[in-house]
Structure formats: structure tokens, C-alpha cells
């Protein structure tokens, strides 16, 4: 039997991250769940992973904290022996028009969404380099490609992930490490469920495929990018947005 791969997934407590963790577990991976404030959500993900028979552990960590991320990365390698897959999924929003956006709102979103990816890649990559293999996938957003009024901080962080991913792909490619990004469009989550029917209809008009995406659509893209079938794909931004941004 092939050795199980180990995937570290940030923000795996809920939403898209929980679905990615479950999908990779169903694909035969062991999972390091990294999440921060909502401990009960992370415990629910752990319960689901255990149900699938995956070996999983929960690490409570703020991805924006450089030294905490190093400690967690070291702990994951100690516990599982290796990290084959890194999925940078943790992300937050603090929306508002630029003229009203505070410095704190800018710093928080950039620290978690963009510096968080740097922190993880910085500490995980040395382990992948030693093994001469690895897969890195970071979750960007169509908003990072097209911009969005009221989300200057979020869009900048998600655009930053694109530049970071392409640079890392160039730096690590010779060691058989791929780095790719997934850019979701509007995905059905608690956030979009709260929208009125009128707001939803307005959204559908922007999407050629005419509906919101599901968290599973994003998890499927991640599963593909970390698979052997995607071994020759690096530095791409895979849009999963129903054609919202073409
Ligand atoms: P979500 O439901 O709000 O989940 C975000 C996850 O990130 C939570 O588990 C959260 O855990 C974790 N997190 C937040 N801050 C963290 C920190 N400092 N350290 C560690 N973990 C942290 O969001 P989602 O909708 O699933 O989105 C997941 C990713 O997809 C994000 O990067 C988001 O920007 C991106 N995305 C989403 C959509 C969409 O339509 N939903 C569209 C485009 C892109 P705690 O709060 O418990 O710490």
C-alpha cells in the first residue's frame, strides 16, 4: 500500500477549509488542521476526519504569527514525520471603502491573508526541499484579479497571493515542489446564505454559469492540484468562479 500523504490545511475549522480537509482525507491523506479562534468548529472538523478513518491532529495557531507558525510546523513534522501538501486557506475580510478603511483593518487583513501564506510557506518549504517534493496551494479570490469596491485590503491580499505563488513556483520548481493558487468566485457559505433573494439574483447575472459555487467545487480544484495528475502544473491561478471573471 502507498504511504499516506500528509496535508497541512489552514482555516480547516469551517467553510471551504473544512471541505478541503475532508476531501483530502477521503483521498487518502492524513490531515494537520490549523485553525485559530473557533475551537468548537475545529473539533467538529476533527470529528468528521476521524469518522473517515483519517489520522488527524488539531493545532491552534494564528497564521499571522511568524514564530507560532514555526512552532506548529515543527510540531506537525514531529507528529506526522513530514508535510507533503500545504493548503493556505485561512482568510478574513474587513470590508469598507478605502477612504473609511482604518490602518488596523488594512494591517489585519494583509497579515492574516498574505503574510500568513508567507509564514506557512517559509517554514514548510525547508521540509519539502529535503524530500525533493511538495505541493503548495493557496486560496486567492477572483476579487484579487478583478478588484472590488469596498474590499481594497482583501483584494490586495488576494492579488498578493498570486505574486507570491508565481515567485515560489519559480524558486522551488527545480526541487519538484509545485505552487499554485485557486481563485474562488462567489461560493455558497454562511456569508452568501445571509444575502437577500434580490442580492442573489443580482449576483447570478454576473456569473455565466448562473449559480453560486459550492465549497466542494473549491475542494475538488485543490484535490486536483495536489494530485500526481497535476505534477506538471505550477504557478497557475485556477479560477473556480462559474465564469464570473473571464
Ligand atoms: P470562513 O468560513 O470565514 O473560514 C475561514 C477560516 O479561516 C476559519 O476556519 C477561520 O478560523 C480561519 N482563520 C481566520 N483567521 C485565522 C488566523 N489568523 N489563523 C488561523 N486561522 C484563521 O471563510 P471561507 O468562506 O471558508 O473562506 C476560506 C478561504 O477562501 C479564505 O481565504 C477566503 O478569503 C477564500 N474565499 C472565499 C470565498 C467565498 O465565497 N466564501 C470566495 C473567494 C475566496 P477561526 O475564525 O476559527 O480562527
Amino acid at each position: 500500500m502507498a504511504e499516506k500523504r500528509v496535508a497541512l490545511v489552514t482555516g480547516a475549522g469551517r467553510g471551504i477549509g473544512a471541505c478541503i480537509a475532508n476531501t483530502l482525507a477521503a483521498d487518502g491523506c492524513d490531515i494537520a488542521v490549523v485553525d485559530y479562534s473557533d475551537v468548537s468548529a475545529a473539533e467538529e472538523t476533527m470529528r468528521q476526519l476521524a469518522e473517515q478513518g483519517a489520522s488527524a491532529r488539531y493545532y491552534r495557531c494564528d497564521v499571522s504569527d511568524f514564530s507560532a507558525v514555526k512552532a506548529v510546523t515543527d510540531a506537525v513534522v514531529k507528529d506526522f514525520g513530514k508535510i507533503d501538501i500545504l493548503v493556505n486557506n485561512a482568510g478574513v475580510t474587513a470590508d469598507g471603502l478605502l477612504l473609511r478603511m482604518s490602518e488596523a483593518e488594512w494591517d489585519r487583513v494583509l497579515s492574516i491573508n498574505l503574510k500568513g501564506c508567507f509564514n506557512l510557506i517559509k517554514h514548510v518549504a525547508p521540509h519539502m526541499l529535503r524530500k525533493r517534493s511538495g505541493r503548495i496551494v493557496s486560496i486567492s479570490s477572483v476579487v484579487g484579479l478583478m478588484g472590488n469596491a469596498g474590499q481594497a485590503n482583501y483584494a490586495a491580499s488576494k492579488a498578493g497571493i498570486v505574486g507570491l505563488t508565481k515567485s515560489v513556483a519559480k524558486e522551488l520548481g527545480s526541487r519538484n515542489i509545485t505552487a499554485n493558487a485557486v481563485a474562488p468566485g462567489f461560493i455558497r457559505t454562511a456569508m452568501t446564505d445571509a444575502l437577500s433573494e434580490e442580492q442573489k439574483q443580482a449576483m447570478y447575472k454576473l456569473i455565466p454559469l448562473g449559480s453560486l459555487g459550492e465549497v466542494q467545487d473549491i475542494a475538488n480544484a485543490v484535490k486536483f492540484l495536489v494530485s500526481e495528475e497535476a505534477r506538471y502544473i505550477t504557478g497557475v491561478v485556477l479560477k473556480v468562479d462559474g465564469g464570473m471573471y473571464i
Side-chain angles (χ1 to χ4, degrees):
M1 207 169 77
E3 194 189 325
K4 287 185 96 174
R5 294 182 300 165
V6 175
L8 187 166
V9 183
T10 70
R14 57 190 155 90
I16 292 170
C19 187
I20 292 170
N22 275 296
T23 300
L24 295 182
D27 199 38
C29 295
D30 288 334
I31 310 288
V33 168
V34 174
D35 212 58
Y36 189 42
S37 44
D38 191 344
V39 176
S40 60
E43 283 170 354
E44 171 57 18
T45 303
M46 293 296 293
R47 196 192 56 70
Q48 292 166 359
L49 294 171
E51 234 172 56
Q52 297 199 51
S55 167
R57 276 174 184 257
Y58 167 42
Y59 304 84
R60 186 152 188 252
C61 170
D62 176 356
V63 295
S64 67
D65 181 335
F66 187 80
S67 45
V69 170
K70 174 158 181 17
V72 160
T73 304
D74 290 347
V76 174
V77 171
K78 187 164 168 279
D79 294 339
F80 288 96
K82 59 179 183 163
I83 300 171
D84 299 294
I85 297 164
L86 165 64
V87 183
N88 283 313
N89 164 80
V92 293
T93 52
D95 297 348
L97 294 173
L98 182 105
L99 290 181
R100 291 199 201 118
M101 188 174 287
S102 67
E103 185 183 7
E105 285 167 337
W106 173 271
D107 287 346
R108 175 160 186 270
V109 171
L110 269 291
S111 298
I112 294 173
N113 295 9
L114 183 55
K115 189 185 170 207
C117 293
F118 164 75
N119 290 344
L120 266 300
I121 294 170
K122 168 91 180 155
H123 295 306
V124 169
H127 300 288
M128 292 179 166
L129 284 168
R130 274 195 284 280
K131 290 183 62 252
R132 294 280 194 277
S133 76
R135 294 273 193 273
I136 300 168
V137 179
S138 302
I139 308 300
S140 175
S141 167
V142 280
V143 163
L145 306 175
M146 59 195 283
N148 199 21
Q151 289 197 307
N153 50 1
Y154 182 76
S157 73
K158 295 300 184 178
I161 286 176
V162 173
L164 172 67
T165 295
K166 292 182 178 184
S167 305
V168 168
K170 289 186 176 186
E171 288 189 22
L172 304 183
S174 65
R175 308 297 174 87
N176 192 30
I177 298 169
T178 66
N180 293 293
V182 171
F186 286 127
I187 305 304
R188 194 187 311 280
T189 58
M191 188 182 74
T192 45
D193 282 349
L195 297 173
S196 69
E197 196 45 43
E198 200 184 356
Q199 288 171 310
K200 282 185 192 162
Q201 291 303 329
M203 256 189 203
Y204 297 152
K205 289 204 182 95
L206 301 173
I207 306 170
L209 288 182
S211 64
L212 299 183
E214 305 292 339
V215 290
Q216 190 65 57
D217 294 319
I218 308 306
N220 290 344
V222 173
K223 177 182 159 187
F224 169 64
L225 288 171
V226 304
S227 71
E228 181 54 25
E229 286 75 13
R231 58 163 213 98
Y232 202 55
I233 298 174
T234 195
V236 308
V237 182
L238 180 53
K239 288 184 279 116
V240 184
D241 65 351
M244 187 179 153
Y245 181 62
I246 292 177

